[in-house]
Amino acid sequence: MSHEGYHEEVALLPEPTKDLHRALLSLMEELEAIDWYQQRADASKDEALKAVMLHNRNEEVEHAMMTLEWIRRRDAKFDETARTYLFTDGPITEIEDAAKAAGGAPAPGGPSTKKTAAEAASLAIGSLRITP
Ligand SMILES: [Fe+2]
């Protein structure tokens, strides 16, 4: 049902919050499906069924990433955080400190003379770098 998961009166919520709710629920469902298909593929002794399960799992990864990208484009904090952590190398727990030390992330959606958090992190920690 479309009202599933709301924690406040739906009438009090603006449309962008309702759309974000839809997207977050969809993302959770896609991630759960990835987990289930992976387990089914691993558990099956039938190679053809295993192949179908892995195919389906990979389709769910695509669905999850499409939904995550939709969320990133509409939520400034997701955008900022994705730019900080995604497509980096090196210790994940050190990225935030490195980014802050080097000037932080630019305002989402706008040009900036500052380095992105990921760029800053890649410069501040030798082992971190951006992968295309
Ligand atoms: Fe899906």
Side-chain angles (χ1 to χ4, degrees):
M1 304 275 296
S2 62
H3 65 276
E4 228 173 273
Y6 282 117
H7 291 269
E8 297 292 339
E9 278 295 319
V10 176
L12 298 175
L13 301 175
E15 282 305 313
T17 296
K18 293 178 188 174
D19 278 338
L20 180 61
H21 175 71
R22 292 178 179 110
L24 291 171
L25 278 184
S26 293
L27 180 58
M28 288 189 286
E29 291 162 0
E30 301 296 352
L31 295 174
E32 184 174 59
I34 293 165
D35 182 34
W36 290 355
Y37 279 124
Q38 181 69 57
Q39 291 182 43
R40 290 170 184 157
D42 288 346
S44 177
K45 294 176 175 36
D46 184 300
E47 288 304 315
L49 180 59
K50 184 185 293 271
V52 170
M53 294 296 104
L54 289 174
H55 170 85
N56 292 353
R57 172 205 179 275
N58 292 338
E59 290 283 321
E60 303 299 358
V61 171
E62 180 181 13
H63 300 165
M65 291 303 103
M66 292 169 68
T67 306
L68 184 58
E69 176 62 5
W70 184 93
I71 294 168
R72 185 198 64 79
R73 292 180 184 189
R74 283 160 182 81
D75 185 289
K77 189 62 180 176
F78 267 95
D79 181 64
E80 176 192 330
T81 308
R83 291 176 190 277
T84 298
Y85 286 97
L86 299 183
F87 308 107
T88 58
D89 294 315
I92 294 169
T93 54
E94 295 177 20
I95 292 172
E96 183 178 23
D97 288 342
K100 283 181 182 170
S112 173
T113 56
K114 288 183 179 178
K115 296 174 183 64
T116 65
E119 289 168 340
S122 73
L123 295 173
I125 298 175
S127 62
L128 293 175
R129 67 178 176 77
I130 306 301
T131 55

